[in-house]
Amino acid sequence: MRFFRKKRIIVHEIAPDEIFLDASNLQKFNREQFEGRFEKPISQRTFFWVFVSVGIIFAVLLLRTGYLQIWKGSKFATESAHNSLEATTIFAPRGVITDVYGTVLAENIKNSDGSIRRHYTLPEMGQIIGYVSSLKKDSSGNYYSTAEVGLAGLEAVYNTRLTGKNGKILTERDALGNVRSQGTVVSAVEGNKLALTIDATLEKKFAKALSDIVKAKHFVAGAGVIMDVHTGAVRAIVSYPSYDPNVMVNGGPSSVIAKYNTDAGHPFLDHAVQGIYTPGSIVKPFVASGALTDGIITKDTVIDDKGKILIPNPYRPGHNFVYIGWKALGPVNVEKAIAWSSDIFFYTVGGGFKDMKGLGIDRLDYWYEQFGLGKRTGIDLPGEAVGIIPSPKWKESVFKQPWYLGDTYFTSIGQYGMQVTPIQMARATASVANGGTLLTPMLVEDKTYVSKKIPVSKKNLATVRAGMRQGVTEALAGAINLPYVAVAAKTGTAQVGLNNQYDNAWVEGFFPYEKPKYAFAVVLERGPSGAGEQAVNVMRELFVSLHKINSQYVGGTNIFASSTSKTSSSVATSSKQVGVL
């Protein structure tokens, strides 16, 4: 039996990383620090300290929570109960209103408490621009009305456009009133700008000329319009007496507001748009246009103005109805009849006489309507009046009476029941000046103008314009026969009052004559008898004042020269204390 001796086998384990060791660089690794190995095992000691650190942090959080909740909880709860969170309004500026050149007409004044109030730089435009409501506070000084609202004029018409959006600030205060935190939640948004077609310089001088003549010649009120004959843009529109919109915004002085309410001239009435007046002879250019177009007359037709017309009375044989003109002018053609305002010529043209048929009341009304009389013009101002164009139907409805030939005669010279507004007359005159386009008057610069054609030939309108020019160079409107601007015009007088004891004075026209740019109409209300020629003096004073500043309107080079404030800022600052938010 053989016995084998058991050998001891020693196994040397080869680590995976040793497989990839290059013997040539082995000496570069520190084997004691596990260099050259793929991984290093984490010791139990490391795990121990990680768990200890987490435990310490958790313990600290528990202790802090306990401190805040248990030891200090009641104190913090008491402080929190006395803190307040309040919302404060950031008042949004209302959009500024400017004239055509950027002159500010309505701006915003920022008060010391952050509130805003409206301010108007050209008070003469009270009825046109209007005014807004003021912000309102309660007895504690807190605002319960936080937005200005347009109440009259353009401020009312364009209220939505001009109104901004108020913002809001949230403020946290402690029991002592100290601010703990504050932040804007909503920013205020300013209202949109409104640029007008008005020229502030022209407006101011026109308003002064009107008020000067009204006061000097003892009229009750007056109004005037100047508009571009090609676009309908209103360059100036005035009404006297007016009110100061700043007084209305501020709510006083009460004595001034009381005076407005008792003034016989009615300052709150926009006389240019809302006032209706008997036009008198200023309708004659439009009657002439219709008669020329309908073939009733030609440019060369001559009518002998003997100062009166006699019509046999069918109810009393041997007796006549007598229609008297203002003056016996002798033989006149249409141009001279316009220049010298022949009543007899227009009685004949309007109602007929002897061999001349005349237009008749239906065609008279038709032509008045074509020139926009007795209709709203569409101007962007509130409360525009319509007026009245008499007709048989109207007379039957109002007076329960039939229509007579005499009614047609008086309607043909702008009398009887006829009523118009100054803005209608300026618009109608512009259509004569521009060759037969009836425009919608505009007060806002970015509006698109609207127009329609009047069925009158340019040749016939040229004849009418020549008559109006002759009225300035040779006849009744001679006060505006000036060397630096060629004006064409027609004057008119309407007797009013129970006994015809008052005169309404009118003038309408355009300039320059050869290449018309602007039309105008002026009315003076209820002056003394015999003052019917005074309206033309308003335009004379205006033209003279414009010439003194070398204005473009009378052939000068000065585009504008306004003393009204100009600013690019929508908000000015006031130190006046008006309350606490």
Side-chain angles (χ1 to χ4, degrees), residues 93-97 158 160-164 190-194:
R94 195 169 172 85
V96 297
I97 300 177
Y158 291 98
T160 301
R161 177 171 175 172
L162 291 165
T163 301
E190 183 177 348
N192 294 311
K193 174 183 173 182
L194 189 67

Side-chain angles (χ1 to χ4, degrees), residues 90 95 99-100 123 130 174 192 197 223 305 308 449 460 465 476 559:
I90 306 174
D99 83 340
V100 67
D174 60 22
N192 294 311
T197 60
D305 181 349
K308 61 184 177 181
Y449 77 91
N460 288 336
R465 290 197 297 271
L476 302 177
I559 296 178

